[in-house]
Amino acid sequence: MTSSVSARPDVQSLQSSLIRDVANAGMGRTDVLPFWFGESDQPTPRFIREAAMASLAEGETFYSQNLGRPYLRQAIAGYLSELHDTTVAPGRIAAVGSGVSGLMIAAQMVLSPGDRVVAVTPLWPNIVEIPKILGAEVVRVPLTIRNGKWSLDLDRLLAALTPDTRLAIINSPNNPTGWTIEEDEVDAVLAHCRRHGIWVLSDDVYERLVHDPRRRSAPSFLRRYQTGDRIISVNSFSKAWSMTGWRVGWLATPETLSNDLTKVIEYNTSCILEPVQRAATAALTDGEPTVTKLRAELTATRTLLVAELNRIPGVVIPDAGGAMHVFFRIEGYPDTLGLAKRLVEAAGLGLAPGGAFGVEGDGWLRWCHAVEPDKLRDGVGRLRSFLGR
């Protein structure tokens, strides 16, 4: 008798994406309003697309350096240095084929089977499942709701970051809740991790998308980096520059990782298509008005969506500091995976079930509001009609 043909147990035990589970049921239906993914409904700005088209016209379709072309690494380093009022050398930068690829590469750089990882949750499932692919153990530290706002239980997080912890994962602004870490919390977590030699993996994909107009970005671990720190920042062009389909992001790491990082990227994706690198460079060089415009739009659409949802009895919406989602629950509907599927089928409304982001999200729904206001009004109307049945 032959043994079954299957993947190894660590892979079999991964949770499949419940967001995709719901989205796959509605993709291709013209009657469905999709709010399930975290992306703008607007195409990538024309000047970014034109940079890629010019590169294609020039025939720039060959292999490039593993860490990215020098011009892109320099642009990323300059952007981060100016944004965070610090010095980020190009030697600390690696351009990678998407933010999620950056997360996987970062994990491959520092994790071994059996390592202990602590993550602030609820959280985009890819981030907590990636360490499990490598055989690491993930400990979840849930956010709390304090004074009507998503908040970090700092004492609980520090207690979970025991000396035998290898990696702390923090995503701020957070997907799905929008929670945004405070400056003093960054200081406390970093001091603790320095003391115990714990790596910090900071998912900064939404760092520019904060609602406070006085801030250019969310509080940052990268701003506090000192030589010898074990900080890896992962970022992406997907959100702030509306480039979700381009699959391009970056890592900012200690420069001492550069040689080994080159090898790990080689054995993952090798390099990025050069027209994409040209587009990414254009986004950084000329895209600040694009980011400013998107931020203003997100603040307005969040205000609109929250106001409209609050008119529905039983809706609870904690406040949050950033990102592009509203994370909410409806009293009397604990099974939000079932509810999300019924909303697609019966109301043509596509929302992400909170359980996709871990057990802390059970009973919650995530609604991406990076869309035109009329779509939000239509969507809330469909939800209200569905609940009224």
Side-chain angles (χ1 to χ4, degrees), residues 26-56:
M27 278 187 176
R29 282 180 48 180
T30 57
D31 62 325
V32 174
L33 283 174
F35 305 107
W36 39 50
F37 296 140
E39 66 177 347
S40 170
D41 65 346
Q42 299 301 307
T44 303
R46 179 174 294 276
F47 74 93
I48 298 175
R49 289 180 277 148
E50 287 176 345
M53 289 188 287
S55 177
L56 282 170

Short mmCIF file of all heavy atoms in Angstrom, two decimals, residues 26-56:
data_model
loop_
_atom_site.label_atom_id
_atom_site.label_comp_id
_atom_site.label_asym_id
_atom_site.label_seq_id
_atom_site.Cartn_x
_atom_site.Cartn_y
_atom_site.Cartn_z
N GLY A 26 -18.10 35.52 -5.69
CA GLY A 26 -18.74 36.66 -6.34
C GLY A 26 -17.98 37.23 -7.52
O GLY A 26 -18.53 38.05 -8.27
N MET A 27 -16.71 36.82 -7.72
CA MET A 27 -15.93 37.36 -8.84
C MET A 27 -16.59 36.99 -10.16
O MET A 27 -17.04 35.87 -10.37
CB MET A 27 -14.50 36.82 -8.80
CG MET A 27 -13.59 37.56 -7.85
SD MET A 27 -11.88 36.99 -8.03
CE MET A 27 -11.06 38.08 -6.90
N GLY A 28 -16.63 37.97 -11.05
CA GLY A 28 -17.24 37.73 -12.36
C GLY A 28 -18.70 38.10 -12.42
O GLY A 28 -19.28 38.18 -13.51
N ARG A 29 -19.30 38.33 -11.26
CA ARG A 29 -20.71 38.74 -11.24
C ARG A 29 -20.78 40.27 -11.33
O ARG A 29 -20.26 40.99 -10.47
CB ARG A 29 -21.40 38.26 -9.96
CG ARG A 29 -21.77 36.80 -9.98
CD ARG A 29 -22.46 36.38 -8.69
NE ARG A 29 -23.53 37.28 -8.26
CZ ARG A 29 -24.25 37.10 -7.16
NH1 ARG A 29 -23.99 36.06 -6.36
NH2 ARG A 29 -25.19 37.95 -6.84
N THR A 30 -21.44 40.76 -12.36
CA THR A 30 -21.52 42.20 -12.56
C THR A 30 -22.45 42.88 -11.57
O THR A 30 -22.43 44.11 -11.45
CB THR A 30 -21.99 42.51 -13.99
OG1 THR A 30 -23.26 41.88 -14.22
CG2 THR A 30 -20.98 41.99 -15.01
N ASP A 31 -23.27 42.10 -10.86
CA ASP A 31 -24.21 42.69 -9.92
C ASP A 31 -23.64 42.81 -8.50
O ASP A 31 -24.33 43.27 -7.59
CB ASP A 31 -25.50 41.85 -9.86
CG ASP A 31 -25.25 40.43 -9.37
OD1 ASP A 31 -24.18 39.86 -9.68
OD2 ASP A 31 -26.12 39.88 -8.66
N VAL A 32 -22.39 42.41 -8.31
CA VAL A 32 -21.80 42.44 -6.98
C VAL A 32 -20.93 43.69 -6.82
O VAL A 32 -20.09 44.00 -7.67
CB VAL A 32 -20.94 41.17 -6.73
CG1 VAL A 32 -20.20 41.28 -5.40
CG2 VAL A 32 -21.82 39.93 -6.73
N LEU A 33 -21.12 44.39 -5.69
CA LEU A 33 -20.25 45.50 -5.32
C LEU A 33 -19.12 44.92 -4.47
O LEU A 33 -19.35 44.46 -3.36
CB LEU A 33 -21.02 46.55 -4.52
CG LEU A 33 -21.95 47.48 -5.29
CD1 LEU A 33 -22.74 48.35 -4.32
CD2 LEU A 33 -21.14 48.37 -6.23
N PRO A 34 -17.87 44.94 -4.96
CA PRO A 34 -16.77 44.30 -4.23
C PRO A 34 -16.04 45.26 -3.29
O PRO A 34 -15.42 46.22 -3.73
CB PRO A 34 -15.84 43.83 -5.35
CG PRO A 34 -16.03 44.85 -6.44
CD PRO A 34 -17.45 45.37 -6.31
N PHE A 35 -16.11 44.98 -2.00
CA PHE A 35 -15.36 45.73 -1.00
C PHE A 35 -14.48 44.78 -0.19
O PHE A 35 -14.06 45.11 0.91
CB PHE A 35 -16.32 46.46 -0.05
CG PHE A 35 -17.31 47.37 -0.73
CD1 PHE A 35 -18.65 47.01 -0.82
CD2 PHE A 35 -16.92 48.57 -1.27
CE1 PHE A 35 -19.57 47.84 -1.45
CE2 PHE A 35 -17.82 49.43 -1.89
CZ PHE A 35 -19.16 49.06 -1.99
N TRP A 36 -14.23 43.59 -0.72
CA TRP A 36 -13.55 42.55 0.07
C TRP A 36 -12.04 42.71 0.11
O TRP A 36 -11.41 42.31 1.08
CB TRP A 36 -13.92 41.16 -0.46
CG TRP A 36 -14.04 41.05 -1.95
CD1 TRP A 36 -13.12 41.47 -2.88
CD2 TRP A 36 -15.14 40.51 -2.68
NE1 TRP A 36 -13.58 41.21 -4.16
CE2 TRP A 36 -14.82 40.61 -4.06
CE3 TRP A 36 -16.35 39.93 -2.33
CZ2 TRP A 36 -15.66 40.17 -5.07
CZ3 TRP A 36 -17.19 39.48 -3.33
CH2 TRP A 36 -16.86 39.61 -4.69
N PHE A 37 -11.43 43.24 -0.96
CA PHE A 37 -9.97 43.40 -0.97
C PHE A 37 -9.59 44.81 -0.54
O PHE A 37 -10.37 45.75 -0.68
CB PHE A 37 -9.40 43.14 -2.37
CG PHE A 37 -9.58 41.73 -2.86
CD1 PHE A 37 -9.91 41.48 -4.17
CD2 PHE A 37 -9.42 40.66 -2.00
CE1 PHE A 37 -10.08 40.19 -4.63
CE2 PHE A 37 -9.58 39.35 -2.44
CZ PHE A 37 -9.92 39.12 -3.77
N GLY A 38 -8.35 44.96 -0.05
CA GLY A 38 -7.86 46.26 0.36
C GLY A 38 -7.18 46.97 -0.80
O GLY A 38 -5.95 46.99 -0.90
N GLU A 39 -7.98 47.52 -1.71
CA GLU A 39 -7.42 48.24 -2.83
C GLU A 39 -8.37 49.32 -3.31
O GLU A 39 -9.59 49.21 -3.16
CB GLU A 39 -7.07 47.30 -3.99
CG GLU A 39 -8.24 46.63 -4.66
CD GLU A 39 -7.81 45.76 -5.85
OE1 GLU A 39 -6.65 45.87 -6.30
OE2 GLU A 39 -8.64 44.96 -6.30
N SER A 40 -7.81 50.35 -3.89
CA SER A 40 -8.59 51.44 -4.45
C SER A 40 -9.33 50.96 -5.70
O SER A 40 -8.86 50.06 -6.40
CB SER A 40 -7.68 52.62 -4.80
OG SER A 40 -8.36 53.59 -5.55
N ASP A 41 -10.46 51.59 -5.98
CA ASP A 41 -11.18 51.27 -7.21
C ASP A 41 -10.68 52.11 -8.38
O ASP A 41 -11.21 52.00 -9.50
CB ASP A 41 -12.69 51.47 -7.03
CG ASP A 41 -13.09 52.91 -6.77
OD1 ASP A 41 -12.20 53.74 -6.47
OD2 ASP A 41 -14.30 53.22 -6.85
N GLN A 42 -9.64 52.93 -8.15
CA GLN A 42 -9.07 53.75 -9.21
C GLN A 42 -7.81 53.09 -9.77
O GLN A 42 -7.04 52.48 -9.03
CB GLN A 42 -8.71 55.14 -8.67
CG GLN A 42 -9.90 55.92 -8.15
CD GLN A 42 -10.96 56.13 -9.21
OE1 GLN A 42 -10.68 56.63 -10.30
NE2 GLN A 42 -12.20 55.73 -8.91
N PRO A 43 -7.59 53.19 -11.08
CA PRO A 43 -6.38 52.60 -11.65
C PRO A 43 -5.13 53.35 -11.21
O PRO A 43 -5.21 54.48 -10.72
CB PRO A 43 -6.59 52.74 -13.16
CG PRO A 43 -7.51 53.92 -13.31
CD PRO A 43 -8.42 53.86 -12.10
N THR A 44 -3.99 52.72 -11.37
CA THR A 44 -2.72 53.37 -11.07
C THR A 44 -2.61 54.68 -11.85
O THR A 44 -2.97 54.74 -13.03
CB THR A 44 -1.56 52.44 -11.49
OG1 THR A 44 -1.71 51.20 -10.81
CG2 THR A 44 -0.21 53.06 -11.14
N PRO A 45 -2.14 55.76 -11.21
CA PRO A 45 -2.03 57.05 -11.90
C PRO A 45 -1.27 56.93 -13.23
O PRO A 45 -0.33 56.14 -13.37
CB PRO A 45 -1.27 57.92 -10.90
CG PRO A 45 -1.66 57.36 -9.57
CD PRO A 45 -1.77 55.88 -9.79
N ARG A 46 -1.67 57.76 -14.19
CA ARG A 46 -1.15 57.67 -15.54
C ARG A 46 0.36 57.84 -15.60
O ARG A 46 1.05 57.14 -16.34
CB ARG A 46 -1.84 58.71 -16.44
CG ARG A 46 -1.33 58.70 -17.89
CD ARG A 46 -2.12 59.64 -18.76
NE ARG A 46 -3.48 59.19 -18.90
CZ ARG A 46 -3.89 58.27 -19.78
NH1 ARG A 46 -3.01 57.70 -20.59
NH2 ARG A 46 -5.15 57.93 -19.86
N PHE A 47 0.93 58.78 -14.83
CA PHE A 47 2.37 59.02 -14.95
C PHE A 47 3.18 57.80 -14.52
O PHE A 47 4.29 57.57 -15.02
CB PHE A 47 2.79 60.26 -14.13
CG PHE A 47 2.81 60.07 -12.64
CD1 PHE A 47 3.98 59.71 -11.99
CD2 PHE A 47 1.67 60.25 -11.88
CE1 PHE A 47 4.02 59.54 -10.61
CE2 PHE A 47 1.69 60.08 -10.49
CZ PHE A 47 2.87 59.73 -9.87
N ILE A 48 2.63 56.99 -13.63
CA ILE A 48 3.31 55.75 -13.22
C ILE A 48 3.21 54.72 -14.34
O ILE A 48 4.20 54.05 -14.68
CB ILE A 48 2.69 55.21 -11.91
CG1 ILE A 48 2.89 56.22 -10.76
CG2 ILE A 48 3.30 53.86 -11.54
CD1 ILE A 48 2.22 55.83 -9.46
N ARG A 49 2.04 54.59 -14.92
CA ARG A 49 1.86 53.66 -16.03
C ARG A 49 2.74 54.03 -17.22
O ARG A 49 3.31 53.16 -17.89
CB ARG A 49 0.39 53.62 -16.45
CG ARG A 49 -0.53 52.92 -15.44
CD ARG A 49 -1.97 52.91 -15.92
NE ARG A 49 -2.65 54.17 -15.62
CZ ARG A 49 -3.61 54.71 -16.36
NH1 ARG A 49 -3.97 54.14 -17.50
NH2 ARG A 49 -4.20 55.83 -15.99
N GLU A 50 2.84 55.34 -17.48
CA GLU A 50 3.63 55.79 -18.63
C GLU A 50 5.11 55.48 -18.44
O GLU A 50 5.82 55.19 -19.42
CB GLU A 50 3.41 57.28 -18.85
CG GLU A 50 2.04 57.59 -19.43
CD GLU A 50 1.77 59.08 -19.57
OE1 GLU A 50 2.53 59.88 -18.96
OE2 GLU A 50 0.81 59.46 -20.27
N ALA A 51 5.60 55.52 -17.20
CA ALA A 51 7.00 55.17 -16.95
C ALA A 51 7.25 53.70 -17.32
O ALA A 51 8.29 53.37 -17.89
CB ALA A 51 7.35 55.42 -15.49
N ALA A 52 6.30 52.84 -17.01
CA ALA A 52 6.44 51.43 -17.36
C ALA A 52 6.34 51.22 -18.86
O ALA A 52 7.10 50.43 -19.44
CB ALA A 52 5.37 50.61 -16.64
N MET A 53 5.41 51.94 -19.50
CA MET A 53 5.25 51.79 -20.94
C MET A 53 6.50 52.25 -21.69
O MET A 53 6.92 51.64 -22.67
CB MET A 53 4.02 52.56 -21.41
CG MET A 53 2.70 51.91 -20.97
SD MET A 53 1.23 52.68 -21.70
CE MET A 53 1.15 54.24 -20.79
N ALA A 54 7.11 53.35 -21.22
CA ALA A 54 8.34 53.83 -21.85
C ALA A 54 9.46 52.81 -21.71
O ALA A 54 10.24 52.59 -22.64
CB ALA A 54 8.75 55.17 -21.23
N SER A 55 9.52 52.18 -20.57
CA SER A 55 10.54 51.15 -20.34
C SER A 55 10.33 49.95 -21.27
O SER A 55 11.28 49.42 -21.85
CB SER A 55 10.52 50.71 -18.88
OG SER A 55 11.44 49.68 -18.62
N LEU A 56 9.08 49.54 -21.42
CA LEU A 56 8.78 48.45 -22.34
C LEU A 56 9.14 48.82 -23.77
O LEU A 56 9.71 48.01 -24.52
CB LEU A 56 7.29 48.09 -22.25
CG LEU A 56 6.86 47.24 -21.06
CD1 LEU A 56 5.33 47.17 -21.00
CD2 LEU A 56 7.45 45.82 -21.17
#
